[in-house]
């Protein structure tokens, strides 16, 4: 079994170089910075880009006649069908990522044969199936509104960027189960908020036929969140215990330092 986060020769902190640290903190406040200026030039440049930029893409017009009519009617009544389609696109993208996150977590769990939590392979496979089914529910909902599930909406693009870090954590060969579960916890919290918003939007736009499927998905997300959160806590407490054991094994902390 792979060992948990070890105590080691981490050189990132200021304490690693006491002489340089005291020279730095001892510098007189009146001393001019090594480089002139402050962050106002950075803010100015960002402002210029913000003022000139276009939005992140657009919501495509529904390609089918049925869709065009539905969208047209909603537009006429003052609704914002593009908002619902944009958020459905977002959920589609995130559920796809969720499925891939669990695929990666399953591989890690099987390889490490981790027993630090009550989580089982069957639990992970069940959630993975739920995520894939949620993806299919959203794809069906987009089609029922005449939209194209293969198009990337602005919010789908956005969550694609946001979730890149989560995938990187879970697919990094060095990360522990506890670290992966932290990334998955972020995804599940977002899943819950995402479905809640989608149900509210569907209600707002009188798309009542979508709500029962969405409510089932939200109920499942609530179970995922509760499970992942408890596994994360179990795995994290396990780490604290094994770190303590590591120090005990080598005698005390000072011996541990010398070993490095
Ligand atoms: Fe989901
Ligand atoms: Fe989920």
């Amino acid at each position: 079994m792979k060992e948990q986060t070890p105590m080691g020769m981490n050189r990132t902190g200021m304490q690693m170089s006491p002489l340089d640290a005291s020279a730095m903190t001892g510098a007189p406040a009146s001393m001019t910075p090594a480089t002139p200026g402050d962050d106002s030039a950075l803010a100015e440049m960002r402002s210029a880009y913000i003022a000139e930029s276009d939005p992140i893409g657009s919501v495509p017009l529904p390609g089918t006649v049925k869709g065009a009519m539905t969208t047209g009617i909603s537009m006429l009544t003052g609704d914002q069908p593009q908002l619902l389609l944009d958020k459905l696109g977002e959920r589609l993208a995130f559920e796809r990522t969720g499925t891939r996150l669990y695929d990666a977590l399953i591989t890690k769990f099987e390889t490490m044969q981790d027993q630090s939590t009550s989580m089982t392979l069957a639990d992970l496979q069940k959630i993975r199936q739920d995520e894939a089914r949620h993806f299919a529910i959203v794809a069906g909902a987009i089609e029922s509104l005449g939209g194209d599930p293969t198009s990337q909406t602005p919010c789908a693009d956005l969550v694609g960027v946001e979730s890149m870090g989560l995938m990187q954590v879970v697919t990094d060969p060095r990360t522990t189960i506890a670290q992966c579960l932290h990334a998955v916890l972020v995804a599940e919290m977002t899943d819950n908020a995402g479905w809640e918003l989608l149900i509210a939007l569907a209600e707002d736009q009188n798309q009542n036929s979508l709500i029962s499927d969405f409510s089932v998905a939200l109920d499942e997300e609530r179970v995922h969140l509760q499970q992942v959160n408890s596994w994360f806590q179990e795995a994290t407490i396990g780490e604290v215990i094994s770190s303590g054991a590591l120090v005990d094994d080598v005698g005390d902390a000072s011996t541990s330092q010398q070993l490095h």
Side-chain angles (χ1 to χ4, degrees), residues 77-99:
T77 57
D79 290 335
Q80 293 185 66
Q82 73 276 17
L83 179 60
L84 181 58
L85 283 170
D86 191 16
K87 289 309 209 181
L88 283 166
E90 170 190 316
R91 200 93 293 280
L92 187 76
F94 207 79
E95 294 294 332
R96 184 197 295 113
T97 299
T99 311

Side-chain angles (χ1 to χ4, degrees), residues 104-174:
L105 184 58
I106 285 169
T107 302
K108 177 148 288 187
F109 182 66
E110 283 184 306
T111 307
M112 293 179 79
Q113 308 216 330
D114 181 87
Q115 293 180 337
S116 63
T117 71
S118 56
M119 177 171 78
T120 66
L121 187 58
D123 290 330
L124 291 179
Q125 284 166 339
K126 158 80 173 65
I127 301 181
R128 192 260 177 220
Q129 272 173 9
D130 287 348
E131 305 298 7
R133 206 179 64 261
H134 296 167
F135 172 84
I137 288 171
V138 182
I142 293 172
E143 279 174 343
S144 76
L145 296 171
D148 179 356
T150 65
S151 64
Q152 171 144 284
T153 71
C155 282
D157 197 349
L158 194 84
V159 295
V161 174
E162 287 172 353
S163 56
M164 276 195 303
L166 305 180
M167 277 308 292
Q168 282 177 13
V169 167
V170 182
T171 56
D172 189 318
R174 301 166 301 172

Side-chain angles (χ1 to χ4, degrees), residues 95 102 127 131 134 188 191 220-221 224:
E95 294 294 332
Y102 279 97
I127 301 181
E131 305 298 7
H134 296 167
E188 290 296 359
D191 265 348
E220 288 169 341
E221 299 295 9
H224 297 174

